Amino acid sequence: MALESLRNEFQEQLENLRSDLIRLGAMVSETIGRGTAALLDRDLHAAQVLIDGDDVIDDFCLGLEERCCQLLALQAPIAGDLRFVLTTLRLISELERSADLMVNVCKASRRIYDVEFGPQLRGLIEQMGVEAGFLIRAAIDSYVDADTSLAAALDDIDDRLDELQVNYVQAIFTRHSDEHLGLQGAVQLAMIGRYYERIGDHAVNIGERVMYMVTGWLPEHSGSARHRLRGLGAEDDAGPDPAGGPAGGSANDGGV
Amino acid sequence: MLAWVVAAASCVALVGAVLVLGRERRSVTALQDQLERQERAVASVESSTDPTTPEVEPAGGAELADRLRRAVDRLEHGVVIWDVDGSELYRNQAAASLAEARDGHVLVAAAVEELLVEAATGRHVRRVVELFGPPAESFVVAASPIAPGGGGAIAVVEDRSLQRRTETVRRDFVANISHELKTPIGALGLLAETIRDEPDPEIVERLAGRMIVEADRLSRTVDDLLELSRIEFGDDAEFGTVAVLSVVAEADSRISSAAEQADIRVRIEVEADVAVEGDQRQLVSAVFNLLDNAVKYSQAGSEVVVEAVDDRDDGVVRLYVTDHGVGVPRRDLDRIFERFSRVDRARSRETGGTGLGLAIVRHVASNHGGDVQVDSTEGVGSTFTLVLPRASVAAAGRGRFAPGVVAATGAAIEEFGIDEDGFDIVDPDANLLDGMEVER
């Protein structure tokens, strides 16, 4: 009887963890929308509010992380539950980093206060904001529903954002060569594009972690298996290890 | 006379009292029946189970609680009630859907929790939660202790998005109309002052020219306001079958010189037999304003396309006006049909628009039981869609077709009349109809 109630309490803690991660996702996706609007509207006040608001997100993330660690230490979860807690732990940092990227956008918007973007760049920035927000929401959906197909699709969905970013950089070059845009403004704008593109990458990372949560397999496992095969020679028949623990090495980080 | 009235009144009162009594008696009987049934049910429960089963609650209390619960579930407002120990006692459907959401609504649910914690300590608290969206939403969360000194707490969530929007529209309208009227009036005043002390006839001439421009601008704004209010009231509307091509052609003839000046080509792709149910004059006004808008915000050398699609399944005609212009920022999309709404105030001086065109379009659409939608990407262009009820098949083709004028921009203007079979071009000249699809 006592054991059962302990177990129920544990399940409830997992459930709370899940709903708080959804909340974190909603906070980040709000930040993306608001940050993009602050950038396009030249709203310095809104930008400052977001920069300050990042402390709230960081605080929330710390609290969540703490709870994950407590769960790991006190409840010693196994199998699916363990992967769930580990995945949540990873997702917290992916989301926290995404919010930081929007802070970077806000800070950049202060530096290019007097730069005229022109309609084409404005349109592209807006679309990148929409895509980035969509990717984060889809990533959270895949986590909540443990939906591996959506999680796997995130990489392909991210291609749209990547393509937008390529067009965006091209548009910056054009506007710069037309002498509508100075070098400093151009560099700041290009970095802003990069921030959005990185948010998309974080969403893809979340998708990979969700696949790990459900199946125990990470895309990196293929590469790691190849590496081991090369190291040990062809006679060792080591395939991808489905029972593998939390593999090191961050997924898709530092891509171009 | 008075006696009669009194007598009649007392009669009515008597009949009423009897009726009330009758109803009362019926409900008393029903209540007795119900009580008996419940007694039987309780008896059967007692006889079939051991005596340790919890006491059955008094019927009235349970029923009342159930009814209250169902009633509060129907509320649009979210309601969450906490017990004395801080556990959740009740949450109605609206509040439950907030908590289950994955979008910004979970942030509203989080605010509810936070405020309930505060209210449980005996304080009344209130917070406005603004969600960026899109769509932008605004919620007011209020929480109070149920008993003084904190005996449980209740939170109520109210969706204020619509009110917020209406307030903004009203506030902006007053601000905008003042601005639109004051700007040319201020300019006129200044110009007149300068002219008064100006000896040089050349400068006087130039200033007078400027005064005429400002006066024109003012009169255009007032004309548009009058047109808008006339369409809003819809007094002189004559509804009938109207050929879309004749509407588009007439609107196009009015825009052609402006389009030519701006080096913009208007391409019309409307079949002659597409007809709608409506008022020719209002429709021309709507299409003209869409074209005017498209031409103003297009890049020189580009093309504006007018297309009509006859959707028999939905019983509507969709008229698309597509431009390759600056486009509309997403956050402004839902507001551009308001009076005097402008995406870029600085640009409106250049284009000389009155800011009322799209408001006119929207009113014409709603007068016709239709709709107007916009799809736009900044830097790419916009497509405005006017949805109108299509004329019945029998009515199409023999309606009150007005003679129209087609002007393919850059070409000469050619008049043509329309007969019962559709369009009969008086002097067919292939070049004139370049880009037009006229079915014969």
Side-chain angles (χ1 to χ4, degrees), chain B residues 276 283 315-319 364-365 368 370-371 386-390:
Chain B
V276 293
L283 291 174
V316 293
V317 171
R318 283 176 231 279
L319 189 73
V364 171
H368 285 74
D371 192 16
L386 188 59
V387 185
L388 297 165
R390 72 187 294 269

Side-chain angles (χ1 to χ4, degrees), chain B residues 336-359:
Chain B
I336 55 170
F337 295 106
E338 287 166 22
R339 301 179 186 90
F340 296 120
S341 86
R342 284 198 200 293
V343 172
D344 183 355
R345 229 159 243 297
R347 206 183 147 86
S348 80
R349 293 294 293 179
E350 283 171 43
T351 56
T354 61
L356 290 167
L358 292 177

Side-chain angles (χ1 to χ4, degrees), chain A residues 128-143:
Chain A
M128 288 193 296
V130 171
E131 281 294 332
F134 174 78
L135 274 161
I136 291 290
R137 279 191 295 277
I140 296 297
D141 276 347
S142 76
Y143 164 78

Side-chain angles (χ1 to χ4, degrees), chain B residues 19-81:
Chain B
L19 277 176
V20 167
L21 270 176
R23 208 178 300 144
E24 202 95 311
R25 194 174 305 139
R26 266 202 301 282
S27 61
V28 168
T29 338
L31 202 67
Q32 272 169 349
D33 279 356
Q34 207 178 349
L35 277 173
E36 273 167 28
R37 268 204 307 278
Q38 256 149 12
E39 270 165 24
R40 274 201 299 275
V42 169
S44 71
V45 165
E46 275 172 355
S47 62
S48 65
T49 56
D50 59 339
T52 53
T53 32
E55 236 180 76
V56 176
E57 255 188 282
E63 199 174 317
L64 181 68
D66 188 47
R67 284 207 185 145
L68 276 176
R69 184 173 296 126
R70 266 184 290 171
V72 180
D73 260 339
R74 292 258 163 180
L75 278 182
E76 270 177 48
H77 295 16
V79 177
V80 183
I81 302 173

Side-chain angles (χ1 to χ4, degrees), chain B residues 159-232:
Chain B
D159 185 349
R160 288 278 189 87
S161 315
L162 195 66
Q163 274 130 297
R164 261 309 274 273
R165 216 183 112 90
T166 322
E167 279 164 26
T168 324
V169 169
R170 199 173 42 224
R171 198 182 51 223
D172 289 0
F173 174 65
V174 176
N176 285 333
I177 194 167
S178 322
H179 175 84
E180 294 297 328
L181 296 178
K182 249 183 87 180
T183 313
I185 289 173
L188 280 173
L190 276 174
L191 288 165
E193 241 173 66
T194 323
I195 276 184
R196 192 177 53 192
D197 308 325
E198 183 55 59
D200 187 345
E202 238 175 75
I203 296 180
V204 168
E205 169 104 33
R206 209 183 65 221
L207 292 177
R210 290 277 309 280
M211 287 178 81
I212 293 169
V213 170
E214 292 299 335
D216 277 351
R217 185 184 164 78
L218 196 56
S219 94
R220 264 205 317 275
T221 304
V222 175
D223 282 348
D224 273 0
L225 267 176
L226 288 176
E227 171 101 13
L228 184 62
S229 79
R230 194 167 52 232
I231 287 170
E232 270 180 5

Side-chain angles (χ1 to χ4, degrees), chain A residues 54-66:
Chain A
D54 189 52
D55 292 344
V56 179
I57 295 183
D58 288 350
D59 180 60
F60 190 73
C61 288
L62 277 179
L64 261 178
E65 249 182 75
E66 177 105 15

Side-chain angles (χ1 to χ4, degrees), chain B residues 168-379:
Chain B
T168 324
V169 169
R170 199 173 42 224
R171 198 182 51 223
D172 289 0
F173 174 65
V174 176
N176 285 333
I177 194 167
S178 322
H179 175 84
E180 294 297 328
L181 296 178
K182 249 183 87 180
T183 313
I185 289 173
L188 280 173
L190 276 174
L191 288 165
E193 241 173 66
T194 323
I195 276 184
R196 192 177 53 192
D197 308 325
E198 183 55 59
D200 187 345
E202 238 175 75
I203 296 180
V204 168
E205 169 104 33
R206 209 183 65 221
L207 292 177
R210 290 277 309 280
M211 287 178 81
I212 293 169
V213 170
E214 292 299 335
D216 277 351
R217 185 184 164 78
L218 196 56
S219 94
R220 264 205 317 275
T221 304
V222 175
D223 282 348
D224 273 0
L225 267 176
L226 288 176
E227 171 101 13
L228 184 62
S229 79
R230 194 167 52 232
I231 287 170
E232 270 180 5
F233 287 109
D235 283 345
D236 52 355
E238 279 178 49
F239 279 77
T241 301
V242 179
V244 174
L245 185 53
S246 77
V247 169
V248 174
E250 196 178 330
D252 181 51
S253 74
R254 278 168 62 182
I255 197 73
S256 59
S257 67
E260 213 168 314
Q261 250 179 16
D263 187 22
I264 287 154
R265 211 179 98 88
V266 179
R267 183 154 60 90
I268 300 173
E269 293 194 0
V270 180
E271 310 261 332
D273 61 348
V274 180
V276 293
E277 199 69 35
D279 174 63
Q280 170 100 12
R281 197 179 132 179
Q282 286 196 10
L283 291 174
V284 169
S285 177
V287 176
F288 167 75
N289 277 300
L290 285 179
L291 283 175
D292 186 46
N293 196 66
V295 167
K296 260 176 208 156
Y297 293 101
S298 280
Q299 277 153 359
S302 70
E303 194 178 56
V304 171
V305 185
V306 186
E307 273 173 291
V309 173
D310 194 356
D311 189 336
R312 282 160 204 272
D313 296 338
D314 290 351
V316 293
V317 171
R318 283 176 231 279
L319 189 73
Y320 300 96
V321 178
T322 307
D323 66 61
H324 303 280
V326 290
V328 184
R330 187 174 296 262
R331 75 188 165 86
D332 294 320
L333 275 182
D334 54 345
R335 296 206 55 191
I336 55 170
F337 295 106
E338 287 166 22
R339 301 179 186 90
F340 296 120
S341 86
R342 284 198 200 293
V343 172
D344 183 355
R345 229 159 243 297
R347 206 183 147 86
S348 80
R349 293 294 293 179
E350 283 171 43
T351 56
T354 61
L356 290 167
L358 292 177
I360 291 176
V361 177
R362 190 184 60 178
H363 275 287
V364 171
S366 75
N367 277 0
H368 285 74
D371 192 16
V372 59
Q373 294 143 6
V374 58
D375 185 22
S376 181
T377 306
E378 263 199 291

Side-chain angles (χ1 to χ4, degrees), chain A residues 22-27 29-30 33-34 37 40-41 118-120 122-124 126-127 130 137 140-142 144-145, chain B residues 100-107 110-111 114 130-134 299 325-331 377-380:
Chain A
I22 298 175
R23 186 173 156 192
L24 177 61
M27 285 158 106
S29 121
E30 274 281 300
R34 280 176 197 268
L40 292 176
D41 298 349
Q120 199 191 1
R122 287 178 59 88
L124 284 165
E126 190 172 338
Q127 287 175 62
V130 171
R137 279 191 295 277
I140 296 297
D141 276 347
S142 76
V144 180
D145 299 333
Chain B
E100 283 158 17
R102 290 175 199 172
D103 52 6
H105 288 166
V106 299
L107 300 178
E114 283 170 27
E130 304 269 1
L131 296 181
F132 184 81
Q299 277 153 359
V326 290
V328 184
R330 187 174 296 262
R331 75 188 165 86
T377 306
E378 263 199 291
V380 177

